[in-house]
Amino acid sequence: MFYAVLKLLHVLAIVFWVGGMAFAHICLRPSVTVLPPPERLRLLHAVMQRFFRGVLVAALLALVTGLWMIGRVAKESVQAGVNFAMPLDWTLMGALGILMIAIFGHIRFALFKRLSRAVAASDWPAAGAAMASIRQWVLVNLVIGVAIIAIALLLI
């Protein structure tokens, strides 16, 4: 039962993160283009500020639950007298998940700080440039997240 709870928390964290990126990139961003740049950038900044708090929790939860599940299976294998070899799909999901966390770190702690400073200073060209960088990296993370989901569903 504990493993099932870990897996549920893991999947819910991924759904929140990948679903939020899809919503922001496909629905929110195109919808706010009708707003003037100052209003658009203030709104996107406020939305991302809240979303990034949730992603920080989701990324940590996905990492901890993923490592815990791997560790649990490895421990059970060793206790049963069987060598543990991590399956290829788990290795791919783990490596890509860590890459996503690194990209999120860059988005949140470098690019978003740049956006925050520009919005606070009402420097709309700089805010727009920071937002464009964030959008590109979110798209990269979205593609990686969808790839992880495909790996989970097709290779398991």
Side-chain angles (χ1 to χ4, degrees), residues 43-103:
L43 174 64
L44 290 172
H45 179 266
V47 169
M48 283 187 290
Q49 191 168 32
R50 286 173 182 82
F51 178 60
F52 289 166
R53 279 188 218 124
V55 171
L56 186 58
V57 171
L60 291 173
L61 187 59
L63 179 64
V64 168
T65 56
L67 290 172
W68 200 321
M69 286 186 292
I70 291 167
R72 187 175 172 117
V73 171
K75 180 181 174 185
E76 289 172 359
S77 297
V78 169
Q79 287 175 341
V82 179
N83 287 333
F84 174 73
M86 195 153 90
L88 176 61
D89 53 341
W90 289 13
T91 303
L92 290 172
M93 286 188 286
L96 291 173
I98 289 169
L99 177 60
M100 282 184 71
I101 291 170
I103 291 170

Side-chain angles (χ1 to χ4, degrees), residues 1-138:
M1 178 72 174
F2 185 65
Y3 186 85
V5 171
L6 287 174
K7 194 171 186 178
L8 174 65
L9 292 172
H10 188 77
V11 170
L12 289 175
I14 301 304
V15 166
F16 174 82
W17 190 0
V18 174
M21 289 189 297
F23 169 78
H25 199 75
I26 297 166
C27 301
L28 178 62
R29 190 187 61 78
S31 298
V32 298
T33 59
V34 298
L35 298 173
E39 291 175 32
R40 176 184 339 135
L41 292 163
R42 280 189 198 108
L43 174 64
L44 290 172
H45 179 266
V47 169
M48 283 187 290
Q49 191 168 32
R50 286 173 182 82
F51 178 60
F52 289 166
R53 279 188 218 124
V55 171
L56 186 58
V57 171
L60 291 173
L61 187 59
L63 179 64
V64 168
T65 56
L67 290 172
W68 200 321
M69 286 186 292
I70 291 167
R72 187 175 172 117
V73 171
K75 180 181 174 185
E76 289 172 359
S77 297
V78 169
Q79 287 175 341
V82 179
N83 287 333
F84 174 73
M86 195 153 90
L88 176 61
D89 53 341
W90 289 13
T91 303
L92 290 172
M93 286 188 286
L96 291 173
I98 289 169
L99 177 60
M100 282 184 71
I101 291 170
I103 291 170
F104 170 69
H106 174 65
I107 292 168
R108 173 59 188 90
F109 299 109
L111 301 177
F112 186 69
K113 275 191 176 179
R114 196 175 306 156
L115 174 65
S116 296
R117 283 192 302 268
V119 168
S122 298
D123 183 351
W124 306 121
M131 189 66 235
S133 294
I134 290 170
R135 182 176 42 88
Q136 290 171 343
W137 282 108
V138 166

